[in-house]
Each structure stands twice: as C-alpha cells, then as structure tokens.
Amino acid sequence: MIGSFRSWLSRAQPAIFVLFAGMAGFCAYFSMYAFRKPFTAATFEHVAGWGFVLDYKIALVLAQVAGYALSKLIGVKVIAELAPERRALAILLLIGSSWLALVMFALVPAPWNVVFLFLNGLPLGLIWGLVFGFMEGRRVSEVLGAILCASFILSSGVVKSIGKALMLDYGVSEFWMPAATGAVFMPLLLVSVLGLAALPAPDAADEAERVARRPMMAAQRRAFLRAHWPLLVPLVASYVLLTAFRDLRDNFAAEIWQALGYGEASSVFTASEAPVAIISLVALALLVRVHDNTKAMAWMHVAVGLGFAVLGLSTLAFQQGLLSPIAWMVASGAGLYLAYTPFNAMLFDRLIAWSGTVATAGFLIYVADASGYVGSVALLLLRNFAGLDLPWLTFFIGSAYVTSLVGVVLVGIAGAQFIRTSLAGQGADRHGFGRVASPARS
C-alpha cells in the first residue's frame, strides 16, 4: 500500500507533493514536541524530596538538555550514516522510549526522577535529522524546510498550552502532565510517520540542482569539514548563541510570562508563537524562488544577520516603552527564529548544493546542534552558579542583548568569508554567482 502511494506521489503535481510532504513532516515533528516540552509549562515549586542548591526545574531542564545534547553528538555519526529506509521505524522507536521515560518520571519520586528527564531527552535529539532527511535535497526543500521549521516554533507553545490546560482544567499533576500530553499526540505521530515513509526519494532533476544526498562515512565527514571550516566556525558559533537563547526563552517561558503579568493565561504560549512562525518562515520560504545556490546562501546570511538585529532592537524598544510585553515577545521571537531557522534546514541544504559535494545536510545540522546545546547548558549553569541572582525577566533581557550584538559580529565574519570563497571560485558556483556545478566534482 505504501509503495503504491509512493508511486502516485512521484507523479503528483508539485503543489500536491509539497502539501503532503510538508504536512507529514510538520505533524511528525510537532508531535515530538509533545514528548519534550510540556514539562516546562509547570513551575515545580516546593517539590518534596528536593533539598539541593540547584533549583529543581533547572535540574530537570539541564537533565533533559544533557540527554538531548548527547543525542546530537551521537547523531553526527548516526544521522550521517543511516540508510533512508530505516528512518520511519527509528522515529517511532525513539519517541516511544522517550514517552516511557516520562511515565517513569511521574512514578519515581524526587530527586531520583530527574534521571528520567535525561533518558527522555536522549532519544529525542535524533528526531530532527530523521525527519529532515525526508525533506532535503529537493528543489522544493526551502518550502518543505519552512513548513517543518514552523513545527518547532508553533509546537512548543501549543504543547505547553495543552499541558497547562491539563493541570488547570483537568487536575492532572505536574508530574503526570508531560506523559499525558505525549499520549494525546500519539495517533497524530503514527499517521504522520506513515506519511513520511510513503515519500519518494529526490528525483534526477532534484539531484541536478541540489546535488545527490548520500550517507557520509567518517572520512567524507572529515574531508568536508577540512574544506569548509573557515565558513562553518563563525556560523556554528552564532548558532551556539541562538540555541542557548532559544532554550532559555522556551524552557522558562512560564516564568518570563509570569514576570510580564500573564502567569495564569494558558493560551498565551500559543498566541505569541503563531505570529512568530508566520513572520519568520514566510520570508525564508521565498528563497525557493532563488535557484542560484550562491545567491541563496548570500540571502540566508542577510536573513540571519537581520534576525540578530531585530532581537536586540525589539528588546531596546520594549525597555523604552515603545512595545507592549506581547508585541515584544512576538517581535523578539520573530528575530530569534529568522536567525535560528535557516540553520535547521535551508542554510546547510544550500551549503551542500553550493559546495557541489555529494553529502547529507543532516550531518552539518548535527555538528551545529551538538555545539549549540553545549551553549544552552553553559547559560543555565551561569544563571544558577555564577552569583547572578537576577529575576528571570532581567536575565532574559540581558541575554537578548548579548546574543544580538555578538551574533551580528559573527554573521558578519561568516559573510565576509563566504564572499571571499565565492569570488575565489572555491564553491560549486565557480564564477561567483553561477549555477551549481555537476555532482561529479565530489
């Protein structure tokens, strides 16, 4: 049955394929967030059995992020080498194991239940690479990537709203709420993964424009990094900043909204993120119209730099009383995700096409992600142990300024290196701004 549907999809109109593939990817990754983020909607104050200096919720976040970060390190190898036909089953097995960890988190008392947040995060870090593997290397990858990235912008707010509603309206405890939220999304997860399994592989026209995508062994990964490290280092460094700030905003949204006066509104998580997704992703999806890979890479550098700038300027406007709290959270979120989103899909997909190397974008995404979550852990440890006895809102505002200023500098360095490399003819577009060369160059 799946084979017949795959054959039909391969002959379908591009718009139908984009709609089906985009929604399958969107729903699959959206569902994953129901197993990862709902616990952050709770504040976990005065937890019995917890007598440590480290705040209990920070301990939970650190445990999950540590598992997630370790998963990203593992994913550098696994995602690069995994055969495409094994992706769908891997998604279901990994998310199923993460849900069992949430059940154990509810059953085991503190402080011992913290370890199950680590075990919950450990399998989930591989899901993005598995899902994006179905999207990359296509002429419509920008549109598919934008739809997929919308999932992690919208889903975090939605699943936290559902988790908050389960506690406020249905009396579910803080400890059972994460597993209950995950259970709500299980049917959607199953249907969407079946949809992904039915997608046909990129065709010859896709490979001609975007280069063939194949598993990368260790020697191929090392060769790619040696060839492109001057460009990758500042890009990955800027992504470290974005990941740390995004996790701060995401994991402690309940505390930030409480400080802004919206602590009892469960819908505020969703209401603030929907405009963010629309603003940031419509702009990025327009890059599908840019067939020249060098020009697309240049526009992505501009988008990332603009996102960093909007994050800082919107925060300044809020402090000056020019933006309301909700308007600020929407504007700063739009800036954050305008800069953050390209790293998760479009930028590395285009970088491979620009380089002319037969490879997989998942490898580069996981190199960046593994580095990024180190930054996330470092920021949380700084907040808890460096004597920064600051309210969450004050710490969040300070972090926004640092992320914005340093990020603009790093993207400027990356942009200068990209221009130098392109003009020197080291990319696939050997004459500056031409079409990608033949995959045979690899």
Side-chain angles (χ1 to χ4, degrees):
M1 179 178 177
I2 289 181
S4 299
F5 190 66
R6 182 184 295 119
S7 177
W8 178 81
L9 274 175
S10 67
R11 300 188 303 270
Q13 292 293 320
I16 295 175
F17 175 82
V18 166
L19 180 62
F20 181 87
M23 290 309 299
F26 177 94
C27 292
Y29 204 71
F30 195 106
S31 300
M32 185 282 287
Y33 258 69
F35 300 83
R36 184 184 172 206
K37 286 295 183 180
F39 84 95
T40 62
T43 56
F44 294 104
E45 296 176 346
H46 313 298
V47 174
W50 187 261
F52 301 94
V53 174
L54 184 66
D55 179 79
Y56 180 71
K57 184 174 179 179
I58 291 181
L60 295 180
V61 171
L62 283 173
Q64 191 191 59
V65 169
Y68 206 71
L70 178 58
S71 187
K72 296 295 184 182
L73 288 171
I74 296 169
V76 171
K77 174 180 173 63
V78 172
I79 298 301
E81 298 181 1
L82 187 70
E85 61 271 15
R86 300 171 64 182
R87 291 178 186 141
L89 180 60
I91 292 171
L92 295 177
L93 291 176
L94 289 168
I95 295 182
S97 64
S98 75
W99 182 75
L100 292 176
L102 291 178
V103 172
M104 294 304 298
F105 169 72
L107 292 173
V108 176
W112 312 109
N113 61 358
V114 173
V115 71
F116 291 104
L117 262 293
F118 172 83
L119 296 176
N120 164 258
L122 186 58
L124 295 181
L126 294 171
I127 303 302
W128 177 263
L130 294 170
V131 176
F132 186 69
F134 292 100
M135 309 286 125
E136 70 166 299
R138 305 178 190 270
R139 286 163 291 167
V140 293
S141 284
E142 269 79 21
V143 177
L144 296 178
I147 295 171
L148 182 57
C149 289
S151 67
F152 65 67
I153 298 176
L154 290 172
S155 59
S156 183
V158 171
V159 300
K160 281 183 282 193
S161 291
I162 292 174
K164 191 88 170 180
L166 286 173
M167 291 186 294
L168 294 177
D169 301 335
Y170 297 95
V172 179
S173 73
E174 289 181 312
F175 295 96
W176 275 106
M177 176 269 289
T181 306
V184 169
F185 281 83
M186 282 183 179
L188 180 62
L189 173 67
L190 291 171
V191 172
S192 58
V193 172
L194 284 175
L196 290 175
L199 296 181
D203 61 22
D206 290 322
E207 293 186 357
E209 185 169 310
R210 296 298 180 92
V211 180
R213 304 306 164 99
R214 301 284 188 271
M216 298 176 72
M217 298 301 108
Q220 295 168 299
R221 298 195 297 270
R222 288 194 296 268
F224 194 96
L225 292 176
R226 279 196 303 268
H228 300 288
W229 71 265
L231 175 60
L232 289 172
V233 168
L235 286 176
V236 171
S238 64
Y239 185 69
V240 170
L241 288 172
L242 290 167
T243 304
F245 183 76
R246 182 226 176 199
D247 266 20
L248 174 67
R249 181 181 185 271
D250 209 19
N251 291 326
F252 297 96
E255 287 79 1
I256 294 167
W257 280 115
Q258 190 172 55
L260 292 171
Y262 295 85
E264 298 303 316
S266 62
S267 63
V268 74
F269 298 111
T270 302
S272 63
E273 298 304 272
V276 168
I278 295 170
I279 293 169
S280 59
L281 295 176
V282 166
L284 293 169
L286 293 175
L287 287 171
V288 74
R289 300 179 63 86
V290 183
H291 297 286
D292 185 293
N293 294 310
T294 302
K295 289 181 180 178
M297 281 284 291
W299 278 114
M300 284 184 202
H301 279 79
V302 171
V304 173
L306 180 62
F308 274 118
V310 170
L311 172 61
L313 291 173
S314 63
T315 303
L316 179 62
F318 168 70
Q319 287 197 294
Q320 295 299 314
L322 301 176
L323 290 178
S324 68
I326 291 181
W328 169 53
M329 289 295 279
V330 170
S332 62
L336 167 63
Y337 282 106
L338 184 61
Y340 179 84
T341 301
F343 288 94
N344 291 272
M346 306 88 164
L347 193 154
F348 290 134
D349 186 69
R350 285 285 196 165
L351 193 153
I352 287 175
W354 169 76
S355 75
T357 304
V358 176
T360 174
F363 161 62
L364 293 178
I365 291 172
Y366 272 70
V367 169
D369 263 347
S371 306
Y373 281 98
V374 171
S376 182
V377 171
L379 185 63
L380 288 177
L381 292 176
L382 176 70
R383 168 69 173 77
N384 201 83
F385 291 115
L388 299 178
D389 189 18
L390 300 174
W392 279 111
L393 183 57
T394 303
F395 185 70
F396 181 73
I397 289 172
S399 299
Y401 282 130
V402 172
T403 300
S404 175
L405 292 172
V406 179
V408 167
V409 172
L410 288 171
V411 173
I413 294 171
Q417 175 60 31
F418 168 71
I419 292 171
R420 189 194 71 79
T421 303
S422 295
L423 293 178
Q426 294 178 23
D429 302 335
R430 301 187 64 83
H431 298 292
F433 291 89
R435 189 175 286 275
V436 65
S438 166
R441 287 184 65 242
S442 63

